[in-house]
Amino acid sequence: MAHKPDFESFRKSILREGPPGPVPLFDLFADPGMVESVLGESFPVNLHHYIEEPMDNLPGEDLPALMQSMDMYVRFCEHVGYDYVFMVTGFSLQRSFTAVADSAERQNWPDGKRYWQDEDKGPIQNWDDFERYPWPQAGELNHIALQYVGSVVPDGMAVAPFMYGGIFENSTWLMGLESFSYALADQPDLVEAICARVGDLATATAAQVASLDNVGMVLLTDDLGFFSGTLVSPAVLRRYIVPHYRNIAKAVHEAGKVLVFHSCGNMYTMMDDLIDDVGIDAKHSFEDKIMPVEEAYRRWGDRIAVLGGVDMDLLTRGSEQDVRRRTREILDVCGSQGGYAMGTGNTAANYLSRENFLAMIDECRRWNEENFAS
Amino acid sequence: MDLKALKKCLVDGDAAGTTAGVKAALAEGLSAADILGDCLIPGMEEVGDLFSRAEYFVPELLLSARAMTQAVELLKPELSGSGYEAAGKVVMGTVQGDMHDIGKKLVAMMLEGNGFDVIDLGADVPAQRFVETARESGATLVGLSSLLSTTLGAMEDTVKALHEAGLGEDFRVIVGGAPVTAEFASRIGADGYADDASSAVAVVKDLIAATATNAG
């Protein structure tokens, strides 16, 4: 039987309100390549321009094709069995990209390239760059994609806005991680100013999107860690970044919405800050090599929801049998008491095996039938 | 010149203090090799230890590496004529199809700071370029980085190409990066695997020491 979207059940399940029920699904977003593959149809436009690049003035002639594209995202989320549609906000900052041929079999963009942040240097290196930078105005942010999706989602389905990068990511992208690192010692006032500007814009974005029709939760994404720790010290994060998280959480919660925090990497020294100080409702993104999601559930599952966790490498290179086994392993530990949603360790990326991705979804459905059959 | 104070400047990432200290030490007649071997390299080893213990993070590594680079520039004129030998020659790069650079760059910086001569080929490097650079430079070790599951195949191909190139009995390859595990490294025929920049230095030192022992 097809899944009937029910965001209210999703919300209650991850927040452990009421008795435990079937485990819902969660992912941060899906790459266009995966959406096309699952639906078996192509986007009518090259979404790269709209997803990864700032959009000041949307050409009117693009609107019909963009609406068709948003419709595809809604159909994808409904088809897979999510209770919400993930959709990008209008907050995006101009920065430096570098492109390389996409090494995945399934491509995201018509030009066959994948775009990566320039890690070395970004557009802001000094105060002159900061002053000249085309900062968007909070009052002029255009959340047209969210507004459109919010107006067309099926009954029971919500919208989950995500920002393209968080406070730490955008600040380091604007300078380049290397320049940002030097600036912490050489120009701390500039670092503070950049983080403050980004943080204020992100907070304004969160407040704006949390009040839009049908928005159910806000996804704050900010990759803080790598394999063995946070990229910068917890002290730096607490000084420059965490205060803005707190403002975002306040804005989201005042609107009565759920706040999910996504970060890749080993950022676990920050978990108490995020739970007790910021007040996140859920944590997403787990890697088996760093900390399997079951361990995260054991450590923090009584205080926040723990989401996803099927390892991206397994979903990319593993067998369908291994994916089904791992999905079941996770559900056996995390699935019975609420506070958990099944999903990938990161995103429904274009480079995942489509069959493995769908096997994970199917195995969760089977597990739910076995454990929560009414 | 108080070498302890110089070492502290380096560990603290104080480039101005480090270069001033190196100039003072040279003016007092200390040899470049002694400043490097007795002070600066131990300083970078301490930086690596602090990183391993999660007391240092990427910015602290970069700041100390920057100070070290500036210090070595001051020492180079004297080192070149002194018979001083680097700890080894290493080629580093991120494999083809992968643009992630910072992790590999940190490894390269830490190796340089520990007395190795490093050729950093950057990101998105074809297998053949690793082979040619290793052959032309006489490097005895190549370090490969990959951050994407989809470029692990390129890593495997590169390891194979390097082993098939006949670069000598002592030639070694190490690998690392987010999706790379010790098991994967072993399966594709790499000689070593490291989790992060600090452990990469230890792995390289161990591999080079082992080949020297075997040769001896």
Side-chain angles (χ1 to χ4, degrees), chain A residues 103 119 178 186 231 289 313, chain B residues 66 101-102 105 149 180:
Chain A
S103 47
E119 293 171 338
E178 202 170 331
D186 303 338
L231 288 157
K289 191 177 155 184
D313 193 47
Chain B
R66 180 175 70 174
D101 199 46
I102 191 81
K105 192 181 271 188
S149 289
V180 181

Side-chain angles (χ1 to χ4, degrees), chain A residues 274-293:
Chain A
L274 290 165
I275 296 170
D276 299 329
D277 184 11
V278 174
I280 63 169
D281 298 304
K283 164 71 172 69
H284 176 249
S285 188
F286 297 96
E287 301 98 343
D288 281 350
K289 191 177 155 184
I290 298 174
M291 183 187 290
V293 67

Side-chain angles (χ1 to χ4, degrees), chain A residues 98 100 103-104 116 119-120 177-178 181-182 184-186 226-228 230-234 289 313 316-317 351, chain B residues 51 57-59 62-63 66 97 99-102 105 124 148-152 177-178 180 184 187 193 195-196:
Chain A
T98 181
V100 65
S103 47
W116 299 100
E119 293 171 338
D120 189 12
L177 180 58
E178 202 170 331
S181 296
Y182 294 136
L184 282 169
D186 303 338
F226 68 115
F227 173 67
S228 55
T230 47
L231 288 157
V232 300
S233 69
K289 191 177 155 184
D313 193 47
T316 305
R317 300 189 303 128
Y351 56 82
Chain B
F51 185 75
F57 300 84
V58 170
L62 286 168
L63 286 166
R66 180 175 70 174
M99 294 304 295
H100 294 88
D101 199 46
I102 191 81
K105 192 181 271 188
D124 190 23
L148 302 170
S149 289
T150 51
T151 52
L152 291 179
V180 181
F184 175 78
R187 189 170 64 69
Y193 157 80
D195 281 342
D196 58 32

Side-chain angles (χ1 to χ4, degrees), chain A residues 124-362:
Chain A
I124 300 179
Q125 300 296 307
N126 52 48
W127 276 105
D128 284 346
D129 295 338
F130 178 87
E131 299 297 344
R132 276 197 301 266
Y133 186 77
W135 295 101
Q137 299 299 308
E140 296 169 2
L141 294 170
N142 183 354
H143 307 297
I144 188 169
L146 283 168
Q147 288 167 319
Y148 175 74
V149 170
S151 71
V152 297
V153 284
D155 283 348
M157 208 167 190
V159 184
F162 66 92
M163 294 184 213
Y164 204 81
I167 323 297
F168 178 71
E169 284 178 317
N170 273 302
S171 298
T172 52
W173 290 342
L174 286 172
M175 295 197 85
L177 180 58
E178 202 170 331
S179 295
F180 183 91
S181 296
Y182 294 136
L184 282 169
D186 303 338
Q187 309 178 83
D189 52 344
L190 180 59
V191 169
E192 184 147 30
I194 292 172
C195 293
R197 187 68 71 96
V198 172
D200 288 348
L201 283 165
T203 303
T205 300
Q208 289 165 11
V209 301
S211 62
L212 292 178
D213 285 349
N214 286 324
V215 164
M217 63 180 163
V218 174
L219 314 175
L220 172 56
T221 74
D222 216 4
D223 289 347
L224 302 179
F226 68 115
F227 173 67
S228 55
T230 47
L231 288 157
V232 300
S233 69
V236 166
L237 292 173
R238 287 178 189 124
R239 175 174 171 186
Y240 296 109
I241 308 297
V242 169
H244 301 290
Y245 290 167
R246 213 182 290 131
N247 294 339
I248 288 171
K250 185 168 180 280
V252 171
H253 289 151
E254 279 179 358
K257 306 298 163 62
V258 175
L259 180 66
V260 174
F261 182 75
H262 162 102
S263 170
C264 298
N266 185 343
M267 39 59 68
Y268 298 117
T269 52
M270 297 302 296
M271 285 300 283
D272 286 343
D273 294 78
L274 290 165
I275 296 170
D276 299 329
D277 184 11
V278 174
I280 63 169
D281 298 304
K283 164 71 172 69
H284 176 249
S285 188
F286 297 96
E287 301 98 343
D288 281 350
K289 191 177 155 184
I290 298 174
M291 183 187 290
V293 67
E294 298 98 312
E295 178 59 24
Y297 189 79
R298 284 188 199 101
R299 289 193 193 190
W300 301 292
D302 58 339
R303 295 156 73 195
I304 54 165
V306 169
L307 308 176
V310 179
D311 194 84
M312 294 295 279
D313 193 47
L314 177 70
L315 287 163
T316 305
R317 300 189 303 128
S319 67
E320 183 181 324
Q321 190 181 13
D322 286 343
V323 168
R324 287 186 183 276
R325 179 189 50 74
R326 181 76 187 113
T327 301
R328 203 161 269 272
E329 268 176 14
I330 293 170
L331 288 167
D332 285 344
V333 174
C334 309
S336 303
Q337 299 301 317
Y340 177 72
M342 169 52 65
T344 73
N346 192 290
T347 54
N350 69 310
Y351 56 82
L352 299 187
S353 154
R354 172 184 178 274
E355 290 67 32
N356 284 350
F357 172 69
L358 294 176
M360 173 191 76
I361 303 292
D362 182 61

